[in-house]
Amino acid sequence: MSTHFDKTFRADPRFARKRVAGLTWFGIALILAGFVCIVFTAQNFIPLAEWAREGGEDSALVRNRMAGITPLVMIAIELVGIAWGVYLLIVGARPWHVAATGTRLRKRYYGFHLSDQTFSHEAHRRFATGDPSVFAPFPHQVDGGQTVVMIWTADADQTAFVGISWDQNRRRTHNLPLISHTGPRYQALDAALRNKLYKPLPDEHNPLLRPGTRPAD
């Protein structure tokens, strides 16, 4: 899936796109089904128009409009299916993976927050600690927010990545350095995500507060 951080991932040797067979075949099936349906609709345009007219309301005007619009709507839906299939083949079926292990990145959070650039740097500082007692509770999302926060996990690798971007008027995007957490900090971030970021994580659920688990800064 395309994200604000595709450019960051492409420039980082830790990540690579890898094709997923299931999504690839699904995309191919969508494209083929779309073309078959378009051919069927085109070849049966008049019968479909008559069927729509017969199923219309009593008004002759409504029946005529239904007759002309229904086949076109069907073709439009079929074109959308083809477009979605093409998207899957080009982007969706090639999600980002950890290059060294082949573990697929799982998107866990995607939010738009306050528009102040200072907020984006403060959010980066808080998430960089890896400590939920510092970054949670995190503010709720806001409409029109220009600070983008995305979190991915590679669960099999016990690794999490946090991306924070300041998107000025949706034209100039500035990505801050990607944050990565492993071990207890991964577990702490995972626990905070499960608990919802906008809520404080109880101390007993924070792995960093357990004796002997807090890593050295």
Side-chain angles (χ1 to χ4, degrees):
M1 180 176 290
S2 180
T3 75
H4 283 74
F5 294 88
D6 280 351
K7 184 182 296 185
T8 298
F9 286 149
R10 281 194 295 268
D12 193 326
R14 292 178 297 174
F15 306 103
R17 283 195 180 276
K18 182 179 178 182
R19 186 169 293 281
V20 176
L23 291 174
T24 299
W25 284 112
F26 183 62
I28 293 173
L30 278 177
I31 294 171
L32 292 177
F35 277 118
V36 169
C37 290
I38 285 178
V39 171
F40 172 82
T41 304
Q43 291 179 341
N44 296 275
F45 194 95
I46 294 177
L48 287 171
E50 290 297 328
W51 170 79
R53 181 181 288 111
E54 292 172 0
E57 299 180 10
D58 292 337
S59 168
L61 178 61
V62 172
R63 289 200 302 271
N64 290 334
R65 286 179 176 174
M66 288 287 292
I69 292 175
T70 299
L72 296 177
V73 170
M74 293 175 65
I75 291 176
I77 294 173
E78 291 151 7
L79 288 173
V80 169
I82 292 173
W84 180 242
V86 171
Y87 170 80
L88 280 178
L89 287 181
I90 297 175
V91 179
R94 298 176 61 246
W96 290 104
H97 291 67
V98 177
T101 63
T103 302
R104 181 176 175 178
L105 295 184
R106 181 161 68 105
K107 185 174 68 177
R108 301 284 298 278
Y109 184 82
Y110 185 12
F112 290 83
H113 296 272
L114 295 177
S115 301
D116 186 355
Q117 188 175 13
T118 302
F119 174 83
S120 65
H121 288 278
E122 175 62 16
H124 189 274
R125 182 196 67 78
R126 291 170 62 184
F127 276 107
T129 67
D131 189 347
S133 65
V134 176
F135 64 74
F138 197 68
H140 285 274
Q141 298 188 47
V142 296
D143 292 336
Q146 293 176 330
T147 295
V148 180
V149 178
M150 296 190 70
I151 301 175
W152 305 264
T153 56
D155 298 319
D157 303 337
Q158 292 276 292
T159 304
F161 301 95
V162 182
I164 297 177
S165 171
W166 188 61
D167 193 356
Q168 185 179 16
N169 299 322
R170 303 292 189 270
R171 291 192 298 270
R172 290 188 297 168
T173 300
H174 175 62
N175 291 351
L176 298 178
L178 195 66
I179 299 167
S180 63
H181 292 305
T182 59
R185 285 196 172 100
Y186 156 82
Q187 296 168 8
L189 180 55
D190 178 68
L193 289 168
R194 294 175 185 274
N195 187 63
K196 306 299 182 185
L197 288 180
Y198 60 83
K199 298 191 297 185
L201 181 67
D203 289 349
E204 61 270 22
H205 296 158
N206 186 348
L208 298 183
L209 298 182
R210 297 172 191 160
T213 63
R214 189 178 188 94
D217 292 327

